[in-house]
Amino acid sequence: MTLDERKGPSHGRIIKLLTDLGPYFRRLNSTESSYFFDCLEICLDDQKQPEEREFLGWWMIVTKNEDSFHYERFNGHYNLNGDWEAVAIPKKDMQQIDNSFALFIARLQVLIETETQLPLNDREIVCC
């Protein structure tokens, strides 16, 4: 394998691939070596106006190293300020959040490993 082959796709190409993957990727919260994803899985009050809604869900940061990608996952509350807070998730909601994450991470892993030839490793830190 040559150095160019091992280097993999450019940052721009990775951004395009992650954007095409779907709505979980947050480009504005990402850098050249880390990529931010989140999922607003459970609306806490769907009777409120969209801009007044809060959610339970997950967020994660994928970091690119020289020879692999690693991710850290967090669970919590997405508040009215547009910030994630690590909080305890009720057990009845945790299964739905875990299922959502499992479906997404499977798709992301295939994409990263196929397009970059680098593994996506779990450095999972589930808060709360």
Side-chain angles (χ1 to χ4, degrees):
M1 178 179 286
T2 69
L3 183 56
D4 287 337
E5 289 173 324
R6 209 177 108 217
K7 190 175 177 184
S10 68
H11 173 68
R13 175 74 178 141
I14 292 172
I15 292 291
K16 176 162 180 12
L17 291 167
L18 297 177
T19 299
D20 291 348
L21 185 61
Y24 298 126
F25 178 56
R26 305 291 180 241
R27 182 177 182 170
L28 296 177
N29 298 77
S30 300
T31 68
E32 283 206 33
S33 62
S34 68
Y35 307 95
F36 186 85
F37 300 82
D38 67 0
C39 176
L40 309 175
E41 183 64 28
I42 300 170
C43 181
L44 295 177
D45 187 353
D46 62 0
Q47 299 301 309
K48 290 184 177 182
Q49 294 297 318
E51 62 275 0
E52 297 174 355
R53 294 180 186 167
E54 296 180 278
F55 298 85
L56 296 178
W58 56 262
W59 74 97
M60 68 183 274
I61 300 168
V62 175
T63 305
K64 183 180 186 285
N65 298 317
E66 200 171 295
D67 59 353
S68 65
F69 287 81
H70 295 276
Y71 71 87
E72 294 177 291
R73 172 193 167 181
F74 306 89
N75 298 319
H77 172 249
Y78 189 79
N79 65 29
L80 288 177
N81 295 326
D83 298 317
W84 281 103
E85 305 167 314
V87 299
I89 304 288
K91 189 173 183 174
K92 65 180 180 64
D93 296 325
M94 201 60 228
Q95 183 174 3
Q96 181 177 341
I97 291 169
D98 284 342
N99 289 342
S100 166
F101 183 78
L103 291 171
F104 174 74
I105 199 68
R107 291 177 50 222
L108 181 63
Q109 185 167 18
V110 167
L111 175 82
I112 285 177
E113 292 179 358
T114 301
E115 294 293 331
T116 69
Q117 307 303 308
L118 298 174
L120 173 63
N121 298 314
D122 174 357
R123 192 181 310 161
E124 189 170 0
I125 301 171
V126 179
C127 290
C128 307

